[in-house]
Amino acid sequence: MNRSQPGARPSRLTVLAGPTAVGKGSVSADIRAHHPEVWISVSATTRPPRPGEQNGVHYWFVSEAEFDRMVAQDELLEWAVVHQRARYGTPRGPVDDALAAGRPALLEIDLQGARQVRAAMPGAYFCFLAPPSWEELVRRLVGRGTESEEERERRLATARLELAAEPEFDRVIVNTEIHAAAEELVALMVLDPNS
Ligand code: 5GP
């Protein structure tokens, strides 16, 4: 629902998706640091926190039972099992509130979630964050070093499928440098996509 003033830019939901390890989290962290005017959704997840991650800031870390309850009560705009392991979902209420308040809103989610949002909110704007090359994506995935060998293989398999989805998106941003990619995304969120 658009409750912005006549003549004002309509508030818009932007979805940022892309392959695993491309740097979606880093780009959204950069936007969080430099653009307080952009509202960024905090997802719920059943995975445990990594060192330094804070509940309510990076994710809402919830139990399987709590996630079940959120699904049953239709509290999630979208949700998915990511890397065949944990569930992740976008709480619906805060997104509606941000859009009603006229704030540009950003969801950083996986491809399965992006497809659900496209079905639920066809007016949203879909950005695909792409790596400069497949080799660079593999380097980033290995470089992070937080996953086991088995987990890394699983993520690479997911990444291959995710890269093939690029044509489904309204816009591709190549993540050569995090801050530049973040600024490109914010500029798109603030400008009329049809202009
Ligand atoms: P990580 O566990 O590394 O933080 O995130 C793993 C993946 O889950 C990333 O690709 C991220 O985009 C995705 N993800 C994070 N939050 C959500 C969400 O709310 N919904 C969906 N569908 N995917 C999410």
Side-chain angles (χ1 to χ4, degrees):
M1 197 187 315
N2 172 24
R3 295 183 195 154
S4 56
Q5 296 301 307
R9 186 188 67 81
S11 59
R12 177 165 16 117
L13 181 62
T14 300
V15 175
L16 179 67
T20 185
V22 73
K24 299 189 294 290
S26 302
V27 168
S28 60
D30 191 87
I31 294 173
R32 192 180 290 115
H34 295 101
H35 290 280
E37 75 278 16
V38 174
W39 179 83
I40 303 178
S41 170
V42 179
S43 298
T45 182
T46 58
R47 84 149 162 77
R50 295 192 185 113
E53 284 184 333
Q54 286 169 267
N55 193 41
V57 177
H58 301 94
Y59 285 104
W60 296 107
F61 296 100
V62 302
S63 64
E64 296 288 346
E66 173 64 3
F67 204 98
D68 285 343
R69 189 200 62 74
M70 294 173 102
V71 172
Q73 299 194 352
D74 203 22
E75 289 181 11
L76 299 177
L77 174 60
E78 59 75 36
W79 69 272
V81 177
V82 180
H83 307 309
Q84 302 160 33
R85 199 187 47 167
R87 288 185 290 176
Y88 297 77
T90 303
R92 182 193 302 278
V95 175
D96 290 344
D97 292 348
L99 292 175
R103 294 187 69 183
L106 180 65
L107 309 185
E108 181 251 291
I109 59 178
D110 89 321
L111 181 63
Q112 308 166 76
R115 287 176 174 145
Q116 291 173 47
V117 176
R118 188 183 283 289
M121 301 176 92
Y125 188 63
F126 292 83
C127 287
F128 187 87
L129 193 66
S133 65
W134 171 255
E135 290 71 25
E136 175 61 17
L137 184 65
V138 173
R139 201 186 62 75
R140 289 179 192 179
L141 193 57
V142 172
R144 187 155 70 182
T146 51
E147 291 87 22
S148 67
E149 176 71 20
E150 186 192 349
E151 176 68 14
R152 208 158 55 219
E153 282 306 314
R154 233 191 340 241
R155 287 183 177 222
L156 274 176
T158 305
R160 276 188 204 95
L161 288 175
E162 288 174 332
L163 272 181
E166 188 182 298
E168 294 174 28
F169 284 73
D170 297 316
R171 178 81 179 216
V172 177
I173 295 175
V174 179
N175 186 20
T176 306
E177 198 273 317
I178 292 163
H179 185 63
E183 290 298 317
E184 191 178 339
L185 179 59
V186 171
L188 289 166
M189 292 181 73
V190 170
L191 288 173
D192 182 338
N194 300 313
S195 68

